[in-house]
Amino acid sequence: METRMGKMMKMGSIAEANGPPASPIAAATNPMVTPLLTDQYQFTMAYAYWKAGKHQERAVFDLFFRKNPFGGEYTVFCGLEECIRFVANFKFKEEEISYLQSVLPECEDGFFEYLREIDCSDVEVHAVPEGSVVFPKIPLMRIEGPVAVVQLLETPFVNLVNFASLVTTNAARHRLVAGKSKGLLEFGLRRAQGPDGAMSASKYCYIGGFDATSNVAAGKLFGIPLRGTHSHAFVSSFLSVNEIVGRALQTCDGLATCKDFVNLVQTWLSKLQHAVSLPGLFGDTNQSELAAFISYALAFPQNFLALVDTYNVMRSGVPNFCAVALALNDLGYKASGIRLDSGDLAYLSIESRNFFCAIEKEFDIPGFGKTGIAASNDLNEETLDALNKQGHEIDTYGIGTNLVTCYPQPALGCVFKLVEINNQPRMKLSEDVTKVSIPCKKKCFRLYGREGFPLVDIMTGVNEPPPKVGERILCRHPFIESKRAYVVPHHVEELLKCFWPGKSGEKREELPSLQDTRSRCSQQLQKMRLDHMRRLNPTPYKVSVSGKLYDFIHYLWLSEAPVGELE
Ligand SMILES: Nc1ncnc2c1ncn2[C@@H]1O[C@H](COP(=O)(O)OP(=O)(O)OP(=O)(O)O)[C@@H](O)[C@H]1O
Ligand SMILES: O=P(O)(O)OC[C@H]1O[C@H](OP(=O)(O)OP(=O)(O)O)[C@H](O)[C@@H]1O
Ligand SMILES: O=C(O)c1cccnc1
Ligand SMILES: [Mg+2]
């Protein structure tokens, strides 16, 4: 008979055996995320720990990054849920053990027996909640447990956090420059780094502030809204309106039927050609394009949109779109809008808007001037910024390649460093001071100022008294002696929360829904002082350590660094 404990272990909630039940944790989204998805050296080290009888020693590792991406001064942390799903379900399958035996023939059988037994029931994971704004050097995750087990988690954890945080940050930066009122659609599936790159990008761009994706699989798996237009192939596949067989269209209220919608469109096109407010702007438009637009409208009368740049935007695409949109309007439908995918997007959007407004006025069609204008084609932060500076009439951006590949910076550079073993603080020294790790099992706090903005993040030893509201605390740069400041916080937020308690008995934080993580991200970004967020020369956010931790870092540094000998 299956025991209660057995059942709980299957649900990945071993840690709740003693505490209140928390909801079960699903398997990793990508089935390729298994205990073998790690670097070989994690296994060779695990074996050497085991051989030395050290494998059960209690180790604390920090996961952090050293520099914000994209030349900015902030990062959005993501990937936590996938890490927790991974630890909750961490167990070797027999076939995985067999494979390891085949590639590590020098390892004794006892080691594989040990691997068969392990799970993450004795591992503790504390982390900053997913979707939070974070800064260099601060541990995003603190992982504690038997050294051999935690070592095996290094590579998958870094992998799961790296791209997730990078692409969320990229999306957040695009949202910031586009502005709150613009629609942002993620179109990256075809250009992303493989299927996982694409699925992850769709999920994390949504968290970072995009409104929707074109990726249908991501829509289904994550519940992200789907959006899309049509392609040039659809437009160029039509030759003439004579191809259209079913020409009838019901009115929007369903009470009547227009028998020849094609004819209605052609009547409107001719009216537009003679409109006084559009003098000489266009002559004969491309009839194959018109056929494509009419066909799309017949298929989607409630949601008609058109890609208008296949032949000529202002002489064909926009007039053809307007003729179809006006015919739809006669039947009670409202067209969604156009997509521009080449040329000068600022200029073409303004010209298109002028065209729509002229029609609104001349034909007295309220709201026609506000018809949607979407733009795409190799957009990135810079082009959005340039468009803003020039002035434009774009309502929605479709962004693919540069967004999902994180073109300006392809990796975040997260690391996973040992900070304590058997209660002994450890640090990694480096000639390069930016690479020196901060030792000790630490707590981290965000201190807020009088105006409600975060002022500084501070790391302390776990046993130090936490910073208190209204109490002055010395915040020191971890390595540069002269950089320090007293802070009297108006609000103190502890950053690391318990997401996997192991055997500690601590309460486990629930994993939030995608929507909640997305809201958290937006709220966190809004809380930041604008000078940290600007694109050009942003102000670095201060990351500090307590006076006590500072002294300890420098004591340990001196005691670990060999004294040079000069001859
Ligand atoms: N007003 C603008 N200001 C700055 N950049 C723009 C503006 N309009 C378009 N762009 C960008 O300029 C680039 C134009 O690229 P490119 O010349 O390859 O495209 P195109 O010739 O317009 O179209 P196609 O993709 O059909 O070749 C794109 O990256 C686009 O996002
Ligand atoms: O440019 P991105 O930011 O990646 O956005 C997605 C692009 O994908 C589509 O066309 P595709 O690039 O396949 O063909 P095109 O170059 O002819 O537009 C679409 O028309 C966009 O241009
Ligand atoms: O729906 C679209 O317009 C779309 C989708 C993917 C790539 N480019 C455009
Ligand atoms: Mg393209």
Side-chain angles (χ1 to χ4, degrees):
M1 206 183 79
E2 195 168 43
T3 61
R4 185 174 118 84
M5 181 60 98
K7 265 190 197 149
M8 294 188 94
M9 289 180 68
K10 273 196 196 149
M11 288 163 68
S13 47
I14 311 151
E16 279 80 51
N18 306 323
S23 31
I25 295 174
T29 299
N30 184 337
M32 276 192 268
V33 180
T34 69
L36 295 197
L37 191 76
T38 197
D39 293 305
Q40 188 207 31
Y41 81 166
Q42 312 294 8
F43 284 108
T44 52
M45 285 187 282
Y47 179 63
Y49 286 134
W50 179 84
K51 192 92 176 113
K54 245 179 100 70
H55 54 294
Q56 304 285 21
E57 287 185 7
R58 196 116 187 119
V60 182
F61 285 79
D62 282 350
L63 187 153
F64 60 98
F65 61 91
R66 299 190 176 107
K67 198 171 180 319
N68 288 301
F70 311 120
E73 288 298 344
Y74 66 96
T75 299
V76 181
F77 170 55
C78 268
L80 174 63
E81 175 174 354
E82 294 299 329
C83 292
I84 298 303
R85 286 177 177 223
F86 181 61
V87 295
N89 296 282
F90 188 96
K91 194 82 195 143
F92 286 94
K93 294 200 175 88
E94 204 43 50
E95 72 198 27
E96 293 169 337
I97 299 278
S98 305
Y99 175 73
L100 288 171
Q101 276 172 319
S102 74
V103 291
L104 297 170
E106 51 284 84
C107 298
E108 294 166 23
D109 288 349
F111 174 61
F112 297 106
E113 278 310 311
Y114 162 69
L115 288 186
R116 263 188 198 98
E117 294 306 311
I118 58 177
D119 57 25
C120 288
S121 55
D122 197 17
V123 172
E124 291 168 42
V125 180
H126 288 75
V128 180
E130 188 150 10
S132 301
V133 172
V134 290
F135 303 99
K137 301 193 276 283
I138 291 286
L140 311 179
M141 300 175 73
R142 188 184 78 209
I143 303 99
E144 177 172 352
V147 65
V149 177
V150 180
Q151 192 79 72
L152 292 175
L153 302 179
E154 168 175 357
T155 313
F157 269 30
V158 174
N159 176 283
L160 290 167
V161 169
N162 231 324
F163 180 63
S165 301
L166 186 73
V167 75
T168 310
T169 308
N170 201 19
R173 295 180 64 88
H174 280 78
R175 167 54 76 197
L176 217 65
V177 54
K180 276 187 208 160
S181 64
K182 300 296 172 192
L184 282 182
L185 313 180
E186 178 267 309
F187 280 174
L189 175 56
R190 66 190 61 195
R191 301 278 160 59
Q193 271 95 346
D196 184 81
M199 291 298 281
S200 301
S202 298
K203 170 176 165 181
Y204 294 113
C205 287
Y206 185 60
I207 292 177
F210 271 60
D211 297 301
T213 179
S214 63
N215 177 348
V216 180
K220 176 169 185 291
L221 189 62
F222 305 121
I224 303 171
L226 287 179
R227 289 277 300 280
T229 68
H230 61 236
S231 77
H232 295 106
F234 180 78
V235 179
S236 49
S237 74
F238 286 82
L239 297 177
S240 90
V241 290
N242 299 332
E243 279 177 73
I244 302 168
V245 277
R247 295 176 162 225
L249 182 62
Q250 254 195 0
T251 54
C252 187
D253 58 16
L255 298 178
T257 298
C258 164
K259 286 213 177 64
D260 193 344
F261 184 67
V262 177
N263 190 263
L264 183 60
V265 172
Q266 279 165 330
T267 311
W268 265 113
L269 191 58
S270 145
K271 277 196 224 169
L272 292 180
Q273 268 156 350
H274 299 103
V276 288
S277 54
L278 307 168
L281 284 186
F282 67 99
D284 288 339
T285 61
N286 187 297
Q287 290 302 291
S288 56
E289 179 180 64
L290 186 66
F293 290 179
I294 293 172
S295 301
Y296 205 77
L298 286 167
F300 296 103
Q302 304 273 13
N303 189 19
F304 169 60
L305 43 83
L307 175 60
V308 292
D309 71 335
T310 307
Y311 302 109
N312 184 300
V313 173
M314 294 316 299
R315 296 190 164 274
S316 185
V318 168
N320 276 340
F321 163 80
C322 289
V324 178
L326 290 163
L328 284 172
N329 180 69
D330 283 350
L331 308 185
Y333 299 101
K334 192 174 172 316
S336 296
I338 58 168
R339 173 162 74 100
L340 301 166
D341 190 43
S342 59
D344 184 328
L345 300 172
Y347 169 78
L348 290 172
S349 67
I350 291 169
E351 288 299 300
S352 304
R353 179 72 66 219
N354 289 342
F355 204 100
F356 299 154
C357 289
I359 290 174
E360 169 165 347
K361 222 166 160 192
E362 182 156 346
F363 298 98
D364 190 22
I365 301 183
F368 199 84
K370 293 201 170 66
T371 298
I373 300 176
S376 54
N377 184 27
D378 265 327
L379 295 173
N380 60 22
E381 255 192 276
E382 266 68 44
T383 41
L384 299 194
D385 192 43
L387 289 166
N388 286 345
K389 288 183 175 133
Q390 291 161 44
H392 65 87
E393 284 293 333
I394 300 163
D395 305 298
T396 299
Y397 298 104
I399 314 182
T401 315
N402 289 295
L403 173 70
V404 304
T405 64
C406 297
Y407 193 86
Q409 181 174 333
L412 175 58
C414 283
V415 294
F416 194 86
K417 297 290 166 199
L418 181 74
V419 294
E420 196 170 294
I421 188 151
N422 286 338
N423 298 316
Q424 297 297 310
R426 307 304 299 145
M427 77 191 286
K428 174 190 173 291
L429 299 186
S430 170
E431 298 281 313
D432 176 357
V433 73
T434 60
K435 288 199 155 190
V436 173
S437 65
I438 298 177
C440 302
K441 179 172 172 180
K442 299 178 284 291
K443 285 191 170 182
C444 304
F445 301 90
R446 184 157 295 170
L447 309 184
Y448 290 79
R450 194 180 309 127
E451 277 146 28
F453 295 117
L455 287 180
V456 62
D457 282 6
I458 183 169
M459 295 173 252
T460 72
V462 263
N463 295 322
E464 282 186 58
K468 288 193 186 66
V469 170
E471 264 184 31
R472 198 168 81 146
I473 179 168
L474 180 64
C475 297
R476 301 201 64 161
H477 186 288
F479 306 120
I480 303 173
E481 194 170 13
S482 59
K483 289 196 174 182
R484 63 232 153 112
Y486 283 115
V487 175
V488 181
H490 280 247
H491 171 62
V492 175
E493 180 187 8
E494 180 156 11
L495 294 177
L496 295 174
K497 307 252 165 32
C498 178
F499 282 90
W500 186 252
K503 292 179 176 157
S504 67
E506 226 176 312
K507 186 179 168 298
R508 167 162 81 75
E509 295 284 328
E510 287 285 345
L511 292 171
S513 66
L514 187 68
Q515 287 302 338
D516 286 350
T517 302
R518 185 170 189 266
S519 306
R520 177 177 188 88
C521 175
S522 149
Q523 282 158 12
Q524 287 257 312
L525 290 163
Q526 274 172 42
K527 260 197 235 168
M528 294 302 301
R529 227 173 50 202
L530 287 179
D531 57 309
H532 299 305
M533 313 302 283
R534 69 178 168 229
R535 282 166 35 76
L536 189 65
N537 300 327
T539 313
Y541 181 81
K542 289 186 181 59
V543 171
S544 65
V545 294
S546 64
K548 219 169 158 181
L549 186 53
Y550 177 91
D551 291 342
F552 186 75
I553 294 169
H554 291 265
Y555 157 79
L556 193 63
W557 196 337
L558 291 182
S559 59
E560 298 277 352
V563 181
E565 301 237 4
L566 302 177
E567 281 181 28

